[in-house]
Amino acid sequence: MKLSKALLLLSIALLPAVALADMTDQQIIKYVSEASAKGTSQAEMVQYLLSQGVSPQRLQQLKEKFKSSQSGSKGTSATTDRRRTNNGEGRAASATTSKTNGRLMGTSAKSGKFDETSADYLSMQDALTGLVPDSTNQSMLLPLEPEKPKIFGHEMFNNENISFEPNMNIATPANYVLGAGDVVFIDIYGASQLTIEGTISPDGCIVIEDFGPLQLGGLTVEEANRRARQKLSSCYADSKIKLTVGQTRTIQVNVMGEVQVPGTYTLSAFATVFHALYYAGGVSEIGSLRSAKLFRDNKLVADVDVYDYILNGQLSGDIRLQDNDVLVVAPYSVMVNIAGKAKRPMLYEMKPGESIGKALEYAGGFAADAYQKSMRLVRTSGGMQVFNIAPDNMNDFTVADGDSLFIDSVLMRYENMVELKGAVFRPGMYQLNEQTRTVRQLLAYADGLTETAFTSRAVLQRMRKDRQMEVIPLNLESIVSGKAADVTLQNEDVIFVPDTKEQKENQTLTIRGEVFEPGIYQFAHNTTVEDLVLQAGGLKESASANKVSIARRDRAGRIKTFTIDLNHNLSADAKSSFILEPNDEVLVKRIEGYAEKVTVSIEGEVNFQGEFSLANDHSRISDVIAMAGGLTESAAENGVYVLRQMDDEELRVRRNRLDANRYYNSHVAIQRSSQMQGVTKLPITDSLMVVRDTREDLYKVAVDVRKVLKKPGCAEDLVLRDGDIIVVEKVKNTVTLGGNVPYVGTVPYVKGKTLKYYLRQGGIRPTHRNLKMAYTISQNGQAMSYRRWRKIEPGSEIYLRETTSEMTTAQKTAIFTSVASTFATAAAVVIAVLK
């Protein structure tokens, strides 16, 4: 066992040393899991995974891209699958680059430390974020740099969610030039039926059985069809011949200049300029999307503008590549930053001579809340300058590299708005026009005031010229009736009409005492005390209808008390009715000397089971057993107990004890985990156990029924509480063994036998030590320790506790030696100090 643990620890310790080559998915998952458990920081894990050639995309997707290839040539008449697959690998010919999910994202350094500001390092950190929480990464404590504005179009070729895969299963273009590696099918039908399949060799030919080589390399598909018919017509004179292209070859394309990973790539023969840019990781930060030059045989074939495709959907520049093509991406010439209220504020690459209007067109135009009358352009070339650009001259203003165009938003101020709030039928903002020019007109336009409106005083809030607020009081009742002059409104005026309903909702009535639903109720006019009592569910049996108290606060803030007598039937007797006012408090007192009815139940081995109402709150168990007709002959004398529900104080004590136990267990768990390595140091919680124990609000009280029946009223004769349940169990003729015994189970009860006999039944040799560690539990739950004279009763449970092992002589000697050494060292230190 120890050897296996040692080997496991050794393998974990040597894991970073043995992972030398490309890691499999299982190795990546295993390393991240074990490194996290050991407390390895996120920065260290990123450095290690990058050094092993693991890419961010590999970590996120955990999948490999399988390669497929076809080779060989033969003639056959069988039907084959002629669908093409993308056999381009996107792999640079240079040995310093590595494949990452079908495209190159960077170099694979097997040793050394990676730059923590590089794109690969940051991408890997993002991939690990959320997968492994890293509290040890101190860089997270540093302030983040502001995010740079994005360059429009750059994300198109470095977004993993976009796949630039050439469509392989399209009709082969007539001008497609055949070369080494292309698979061709020659179908012969008519008088003869035959299909010839072949792969063009490096010499440019395929070998046909019984015919010889057929030269096809360097020909277009149309020319190859004519040559196949010409050469094979002598053998198949009365048949038709058709040549088609199957799996295409791969080509090598050089991507140079300002791309993420320049180099030589192996691509499908159907690949285009966009595919090459995608496999090269897209353009770099200073790369141009407006000028990607394609050279073929040292001649300029195309100058591709990617913006034509992104903005206009034109694919005229996305031409098909050929073997040994060179694609060169130049640095950008003009970069303009458009910020503010444009629909797509970003950095945009412009061609020399383009205008601000063209840049705004690239940005999608103005946003809805843009201030269009004037824009600010800041120019840094040749010194800091600022220009105000109006919409009528933005097409004539030519941009320069480094220009920044700022588009402001409109001011958040209304020009023709007034607002109504409060107790009106249609509150809200209104247009200030001829129909809403005055307060009276505005109220009429809003369908008038509500019935609960406070019309004596309203508030008009008006903005001064210095944007300071002033308040103008209004008497709406006089204005609406024409007794007072109407008030002319201005822009941004706000009228607030108070609502008396809100004041009335704050008026309440309170009732307490012996009613079924005491509490706070909404005030209503002409409410009597009897009405409030009925709303509170009526009077309880314990309620006293005499001298009901009403507390009321007068205008001076003093409390006055009134006392009335209620009718027992709560009839609407005008002589005894007391009209309540807002915020009155009613107290219904309890009848003096009223005693609550106590109800208990008894179940089990008694002659009459059921519930019993006790005459007083001093009744005992003996009284209820007598009322139940006594115990039956099958009743166990040691099996009587009471199930009692906890009161509020007992529940509080129980919760405090559970909290103390839980805190203690968590403390012990933390101490234990701190001594263990490779284990997450989290406290062990027992929340489910706490919830379970909290819900169990019943506890058991053991009763010695023999003493109770022999001497009623003794200390063992428990005084009962309301809701108590007396349980009388049936006698059991067995004894249960538990704890630290070889045989855990139940054995027959033998009258007169002692504890030693039953320990032997459980496979234990009775010794003085074993007897001291044993105790018995009766059927009623009462636990008793071992006594030599005590007999085991039927239905009992014998529980043997685990014994703690004593220290051996060697352990005692080691402790003594350690203590002696400590004292000797302390004495030597004291002597040296004294000298």
Side-chain angles (χ1 to χ4, degrees), residues 351-421:
K351 288 184 176 180
E354 288 186 322
S355 65
I356 288 294
K358 194 66 174 178
L360 190 60
E361 180 183 341
Y362 291 159
F366 291 105
D369 56 344
Y371 181 69
Q372 302 182 17
K373 293 183 180 180
S374 177
M375 297 173 286
R376 290 193 304 276
L377 185 136
V378 177
R379 177 163 292 175
T380 57
S381 59
M384 296 292 293
Q385 294 176 297
V386 62
F387 300 93
N388 293 326
I389 310 297
D392 54 355
N393 68 342
M394 64 181 181
N395 292 324
D396 301 327
F397 197 97
T398 304
V399 297
D401 186 30
D403 283 355
S404 295
L405 182 67
F406 298 93
I407 305 173
D408 291 333
S409 62
V410 296
L411 297 177
M412 297 305 294
R413 296 182 182 180
Y414 292 95
E415 299 177 354
N416 61 341
M417 185 274 298
V418 290
E419 186 175 3
L420 266 178
K421 295 182 178 180

Side-chain angles (χ1 to χ4, degrees), residues 491-767:
N491 179 43
E492 295 186 320
D493 278 354
V494 179
I495 300 175
F496 176 73
V497 182
D499 195 341
T500 59
K501 180 180 179 181
E502 297 179 359
Q503 301 177 1
K504 293 179 180 178
E505 288 178 353
N506 295 328
Q507 297 176 348
T508 59
L509 295 173
T510 304
I511 184 168
R512 310 183 189 280
E514 300 302 308
V515 291
F516 286 101
E517 298 179 8
I520 301 175
Y521 292 84
Q522 184 65 42
F523 171 78
H525 293 285
N526 296 324
T527 300
T528 65
V529 176
E530 290 83 358
D531 297 333
L532 184 59
V533 169
L534 289 175
Q535 291 184 57
L539 299 173
K540 290 184 178 179
E541 184 181 6
S542 58
S544 173
N546 300 327
K547 298 181 180 179
V548 174
S549 299
I550 300 99
R552 177 177 297 170
R553 188 183 299 275
D554 60 13
R555 295 182 180 274
R558 295 185 296 268
I559 301 295
K560 291 184 178 181
T561 304
F562 304 91
T563 303
I564 65 169
D565 294 337
L566 294 178
N567 294 325
H568 287 280
N569 57 1
L570 300 179
S571 61
D573 188 355
K575 296 181 180 179
S576 62
S577 296
F578 185 90
I579 305 299
L580 296 174
E581 294 185 0
N583 302 320
D584 280 354
E585 293 189 10
V586 178
L587 174 62
V588 180
K589 298 179 180 179
R590 190 184 185 91
I591 298 175
E592 295 183 6
Y594 180 83
E596 293 285 353
K597 183 172 62 173
V598 178
T599 302
V600 298
S601 61
I602 186 170
E603 57 187 42
E605 297 301 317
V606 292
N607 290 313
F608 303 103
Q609 301 184 40
E611 291 187 353
F612 295 92
S613 297
L614 304 183
N616 51 62
D617 54 1
H618 301 295
S619 299
R620 298 176 179 268
I621 294 177
S622 58
D623 299 330
V624 178
I625 292 178
M627 297 169 64
L631 306 180
T632 65
E633 294 180 356
S634 301
E637 294 182 345
N638 64 339
V640 180
Y641 56 88
V642 175
L643 290 177
R644 175 165 290 178
Q645 191 163 8
M646 294 182 180
D647 56 18
D648 294 339
E649 179 61 20
E650 290 170 336
L651 286 173
R652 185 186 66 80
V653 173
R654 183 183 183 87
R655 282 194 297 268
N656 291 341
R657 179 174 57 82
L658 290 173
D659 289 341
N661 291 340
R662 187 168 71 255
Y663 296 149
Y664 173 76
N665 293 336
S666 298
H667 176 69
V668 171
I670 292 174
Q671 284 186 329
R672 290 178 178 175
S673 64
S674 63
Q675 301 171 1
M676 301 172 63
Q677 296 181 357
V679 179
T680 304
K681 301 174 183 177
L682 294 176
I684 300 174
T685 59
D686 55 346
S687 57
L688 294 177
M689 296 175 61
V690 171
V691 172
R692 182 199 64 190
D693 292 342
T694 304
R695 290 177 177 175
E696 292 177 356
D697 55 355
L698 293 176
Y699 62 94
K700 183 188 292 187
V701 182
V703 177
D704 191 344
V705 74
R706 287 167 291 200
K707 293 182 179 180
V708 169
L709 297 179
K710 185 176 180 180
K711 189 178 179 179
C714 62
E716 286 76 7
D717 197 3
L718 186 67
V719 177
L720 298 173
R721 292 199 316 212
D722 185 41
D724 280 352
I725 303 173
I726 304 172
V727 179
V728 182
E729 290 191 349
K730 189 175 183 179
V731 65
K732 298 178 181 178
N733 292 320
T734 57
V735 174
T736 302
L737 300 173
N740 189 25
V741 293
Y743 170 72
V744 177
T746 304
V747 298
Y749 167 74
V750 180
K751 185 176 182 181
K753 294 297 183 180
T754 61
L755 179 61
K756 294 181 179 181
Y757 169 80
Y758 291 104
L759 287 179
R760 292 191 185 97
Q761 299 296 313
I764 293 293
R765 183 173 63 88
T767 62

Side-chain angles (χ1 to χ4, degrees), residues 19-90:
L20 299 177
D22 292 339
M23 301 175 69
T24 64
D25 295 347
Q26 291 77 12
Q27 288 175 333
I28 295 174
I29 295 173
K30 183 178 180 181
Y31 169 74
V32 172
S33 176
E34 293 178 350
S36 175
K38 291 192 297 184
T40 305
S41 68
Q42 189 182 38
E44 293 174 340
M45 285 191 282
V46 170
Q47 291 283 351
Y48 175 75
L49 291 173
L50 284 173
S51 68
Q52 300 305 309
V54 179
S55 68
Q57 294 74 28
R58 172 78 180 282
L59 188 63
Q60 289 173 342
Q61 299 177 1
L62 292 179
K63 64 180 181 180
E64 292 278 353
K65 182 179 181 180
F66 292 97
K67 306 173 185 177
S68 63
S69 61
Q70 297 180 358
S71 61
S73 63
K74 60 179 181 177
T76 176
S77 61
T79 302
T80 59
D81 188 357
R82 302 186 182 184
R83 290 177 296 179
R84 305 187 187 106
T85 59
N86 182 12
N87 52 0
E89 297 180 357

